[in-house]
Amino acid sequence: MNPALRTFLILAALVVAGALIFPSSYYYRVGTLVWINTLAVTGIVVLLGYVGLVSLGHAGFFAIGAYATAILPSYGVPSVLAAILGAAGAGLLAAIVGRPILRLSGYYLAIATLGLGMLIWMVLSKEAWLTGGPDGMTVMGANARDLFKLVGLNLRSAESWYWVTGTFAVLGAVLAVNLGNSPWGRALRAIHDSDVAASSLGIDVAKAKSMAFTISAVYAAVAGALLALANGYITPEVGGFMHSVEMVTMAVLGGAASVFGALVGALILTALPQVLTVFADYEHMILGAVMVLTMILMRRGLVPALVDLAKRRRK
Amino acid sequence: MSRLDIEDLGISFGGIKAVDGVTFSAGAGEVTSIIGPNGAGKTTLFNLVSGVYTADTGRVGIDGTDVTGKPPHLLARAGMARTFQNLQVFPQMTALDNVMTGCHMIERSNLLADLLGLPSSRRETAKSREAAREALRRAGLEKLAERPASELSYGQLKRLEIARALVTGCDILLLDEPAAGCNAVETREVDDLIHGIAQEGKAVVLIEHDMRLVMRISSHIVVLDQGRKIAEGRPDQIRNNPDVIAAYLGAHGAAEAEAANA
C-alpha cells in the first residue's frame, strides 16, 4: 500500500477511535493537545529524523504561530488569516535565520536556535502592551463549533477542536510521509547519512537543510496557532526553552525517523502528565530521564524498537 | 578533446604538501589511473578535483570550462561524479533508495509537489526507480535492491557507489579503489563494469591498488609519490619505468623484482 495512504488510514482511524471512546469534554481536550503536539513533533521529525538536525528553539516558532493568532484579530485580522500569517512569518524567519547558519556543518543550528528561541520568549514576556507579558493573553475569535454548525452539526466546543486538530495532525503526517518518499525527501535523508556523498550527487546541502528547517518551523507555528485557538488563552511558556526540549523529547522517545514516532511520543508525553498528576512537579526531571533512558535502551526510539521486536518474534 | 583537465593542482596541510603541482588530463572514453604508494596523495587529489577540499594552487577544467573552487554539488551538475575510498553510502536506506538518490539532478520536481504527493512528484520517483534498477543490474546488485545498505558486504557497497554515481548521468567518473574488498570474481566484474563505462564515452579516473586490474584496463596511468607526479604514460611504459619501480617497491624490492624476472 502507498505509505501516505497507510499513514492517512491509521491516523484517521485513531482520531475516530478517540472520539468513539471519550466519555467527557476533558478527554477531548487532552486528545486535542495530543494532536497539536503530534503536528508540532511531525515538524521535528522532518528536521531531526529526515535530515538529522537538532533545533532547540522550536517553541519560538510555535509561539509565533500562537501569538500571531492571539494578537492580530484585535487589529481586525480574521483568526484564520492571522494563523496563516503566523505560519508564514515563522517560515520566513526560519528561512532567513537558517540559510547562513546551515552553510556550516555541525552544532551551529542547535546553538543558534537556542538563542533565537530565548529571544522570542523574552520579547513575549517583556512586551506586555502587546502580549500581556508573563500573564499571557486571551485569544479572541474563531471557534471550531461554528465550522461544524455550517454543515448542521451541533458539537460541543471541545469536541469540535478535537476534530479540527485531529484533521491537521493527519494532514501534517500525510504531507511529511509524502515528502519522505519523494525526490527532495531522498535528498534530505541522504544528507542525514553523509552530506559529502549527498553534495557529490548534486544536492545543494545548504539549500536542502534550509528547506527542511523552514518546513518544520511552519509545522510548529501551525500547531501553535491551533493551541491558541483551542485553548483560548496563551502564556509565554509556549515559547519557553522547556517546550522546545519537550518537542525534541517527544520525537526522540517515539522515534524521530517516522511520523508514527511523533504520534507515539506526543501521546505518551501529553497523556502521562494527565494520568499522573505528580508529573507536574517533576516534569523537568522526568523529561530528562526519558531522554537518557531512550538514548541508552533504544536509541532509535520506541516505534522502531517495537517494530524490531515484532520482526524478531515472527522469525 | 579531454574532458577533465587538471593543472598544477596543490594543497598543503600544516606545511606538508599533500598534493604538489599535479597536472594531468582525462579523455572521453578513456580510463586514466592514478597509482602510487599509500600516502602518495591519491585520495587527496580526488578530494581536490571533486571540490571537497579547496586547492591552494592550480586549476580544474571540465570540457574546457574553468571550475576551480566550485563546491561539490556544482561540479556534480557540471557532469562529475565520484565514489569514495572510505565508503559514503546511506546505510539507513535500501540499496535501491541509495541509487535513487543519485537521480537528484535529473528529477524535475519541486518541494510543494513532493509534500502534496502530486502525480508529477510520483512520476519522477517512478522514473528514478527504473533508472536505479537498471544501474543496480549493471553493477550486479539487482537481487539486493530492497536490502538495507547496512547489510551489504564491503565489495557490494563499493559497486553500490558506482551504480549511484552512474545514474547521475555524469560524463566524468572518479572511482576511488572500486575493487577494494572484492574477491577475484568480483574484481573481474568491476573490471568489465569500468570498461563498459569508458566504452560509453565517459572519462573514468581510477585510483586502484590492484595492479593487474590497473594494467589491464588503463589507457593512461599517472604515478604519484609524496604528492608529486613522478611518471605518466601508457601501462607498458609505466610497468618498466625505473622511478615507478623504486617508489613502489623500494630499491631493494626492485632488485628482487628483477631477480624474479631473471
Side-chain angles (χ1 to χ4, degrees):
Chain A
M1 197 194 300
N2 175 340
L5 183 61
R6 189 175 60 206
T7 308
F8 173 80
L9 290 176
I10 293 175
L11 262 74
L14 286 171
V15 174
V16 174
L20 288 176
I21 59 169
F22 289 160
S24 71
S25 288
Y26 168 75
Y27 285 84
Y28 279 102
R29 278 198 294 275
V30 176
T32 300
L33 277 181
V34 169
W35 295 125
I36 290 172
N37 284 332
T38 300
L39 183 65
V41 178
T42 301
I44 300 283
V45 163
V46 170
L47 187 66
L48 177 63
Y50 290 6
V51 204
L53 292 169
V54 180
S55 165
L56 293 177
H58 249 54
F61 298 119
F62 190 96
I64 288 174
Y67 273 87
T69 310
I71 293 169
L72 292 179
S74 57
Y75 294 93
V77 180
S79 292
V80 174
L81 183 59
I84 293 171
L85 287 174
L92 193 66
L93 181 65
I96 293 169
V97 172
R99 206 59 201 268
I101 300 165
L102 292 166
R103 280 179 202 285
L104 312 164
S105 52
Y107 313 107
Y108 298 101
L109 186 74
I111 294 162
T113 50
L114 180 64
L116 182 70
M118 283 179 167
L119 270 174
I120 292 170
W121 178 79
M122 262 159 64
V123 169
L124 297 177
S125 311
K126 306 291 178 202
E127 302 300 318
W129 61 275
L130 188 66
T131 67
D135 297 336
M137 67 187 297
T138 312
V139 183
M140 319 263 258
N143 190 322
R145 285 185 69 179
D146 303 336
L147 198 67
F148 291 96
K149 277 195 187 132
L150 285 179
V151 289
L153 285 168
N154 197 9
L155 297 181
R156 281 172 297 170
S157 181
E159 277 177 273
S160 55
W161 281 118
Y162 174 85
W163 286 107
V164 169
T165 54
T167 305
F168 270 91
V170 173
L171 286 178
V174 168
L175 292 188
V177 170
N178 275 336
L179 178 66
N181 294 298
S182 75
W184 273 109
R186 282 189 294 279
L188 296 179
R189 286 186 290 140
I191 293 168
H192 183 285
D193 285 355
S194 165
D195 50 6
V196 178
S199 60
S200 83
L201 300 171
I203 296 166
D204 186 342
V205 172
K207 181 182 166 193
K209 283 179 173 175
S210 168
M211 272 174 16
F213 184 52
T214 305
I215 291 171
S216 76
V218 171
Y219 268 91
V222 173
L226 287 171
L227 181 76
L229 289 169
N231 252 5
Y233 196 83
I234 46 168
T235 67
E237 290 316 305
V238 297
F241 175 62
M242 279 317 294
H243 189 210
S244 290
V245 172
E246 195 180 73
M247 283 191 251
V248 174
T249 310
M250 285 174 179
V252 170
L253 170 65
S258 80
V259 294
F260 293 109
L263 169 68
V264 169
L267 179 67
I268 292 175
L269 288 184
T270 310
L272 208 60
Q274 310 293 335
V275 182
L276 305 166
T277 41
V278 291
F279 192 90
D281 294 334
Y282 301 101
E283 193 185 351
H284 298 183
M285 224 171 80
I286 292 178
L287 279 182
V290 166
M291 200 74 131
V292 171
L293 287 176
T294 310
M295 284 296 115
I296 294 173
L297 299 174
M298 38 181 195
R299 294 184 64 177
R300 294 189 299 135
L302 204 53
V303 170
L306 290 177
V307 169
D308 280 356
L309 196 67
K311 272 185 190 161
R312 235 174 295 153
R313 277 278 165 78
R314 221 174 297 160
K315 278 177 187 170
Chain B
M1 191 183 74
S2 53
R3 274 265 147 78
L4 178 69
D5 290 294
I6 306 300
E7 211 182 292
D8 190 35
L9 211 58
I11 190 172
S12 304
F13 296 117
I16 294 166
K17 287 185 170 170
V19 172
D20 186 3
V22 172
T23 300
F24 72 93
S25 293
E30 292 178 358
V31 177
T32 306
S33 290
I34 316 273
I35 63 169
N38 286 325
K42 303 184 294 292
T43 294
T44 307
L45 179 64
F46 260 28
N47 284 337
L48 286 174
V49 173
S50 64
V52 176
Y53 298 156
T54 309
D56 296 336
T57 64
R59 279 170 18 90
V60 178
I62 294 179
D63 289 329
T65 310
D66 189 356
V67 294
T68 313
K70 288 247 166 85
H73 72 272
L74 293 184
L75 291 172
R77 282 173 204 183
M80 186 190 291
R82 68 169 294 185
T83 68
F84 297 85
Q85 181 189 23
N86 56 340
L87 297 171
Q88 296 285 341
V89 291
F90 312 126
Q92 299 189 3
M93 299 186 194
T94 62
L96 185 65
D97 277 356
N98 263 274
V99 180
M100 284 171 75
T101 309
C103 300
H104 181 76
M105 288 183 290
I106 44 176
E107 284 166 337
R108 294 272 162 270
S109 181
N110 64 54
L111 186 62
L112 198 63
D114 286 358
L115 276 167
L116 297 174
L118 295 183
S120 63
S121 167
R122 290 182 191 190
R123 258 199 312 274
E124 292 301 316
T125 293
K127 270 200 288 187
S128 298
R129 189 173 291 123
E130 268 319 297
R133 281 199 187 282
E134 176 54 34
L136 281 174
R137 208 167 7 245
R138 265 189 92 174
L141 298 170
E142 69 271 28
K143 290 204 184 78
L144 302 168
E146 306 300 336
R147 293 268 284 278
S150 54
E151 289 178 10
L152 270 55
S153 75
Y154 189 78
Q156 287 165 344
L157 291 174
K158 282 277 176 193
R159 279 180 286 156
L160 184 66
E161 282 201 344
I162 298 178
R164 187 180 67 185
L166 273 181
V167 291
T168 63
C170 58
D171 298 319
I172 301 165
L173 183 57
L174 312 181
L175 300 173
D176 200 341
E177 298 194 18
C182 291
N183 61 35
V185 179
E186 288 172 327
T187 303
R188 192 79 221 183
E189 285 168 9
V190 169
D191 183 341
D192 292 341
L193 182 59
I194 296 172
H195 191 71
I197 294 167
Q199 290 279 299
E200 285 173 10
K202 296 187 199 302
V204 179
V205 186
L206 175 72
I207 293 178
E208 185 51 63
H209 279 298
D210 185 329
M211 277 310 127
R212 268 174 303 181
L213 176 67
V214 169
M215 293 298 165
R216 205 159 51 216
I217 65 173
S218 305
S219 349
H220 190 77
I221 297 176
V222 174
V223 189
L224 294 189
D225 186 30
Q226 296 178 13
R228 272 194 295 272
K229 183 171 82 176
I230 59 166
E232 187 173 6
R234 294 190 311 273
D236 56 310
Q237 293 168 322
I238 295 300
R239 195 181 287 129
N240 302 313
N241 184 316
D243 289 344
V244 176
I245 294 168
Y248 245 105
L249 306 168
H252 177 69
E256 268 187 7
E258 251 169 53
N261 276 345

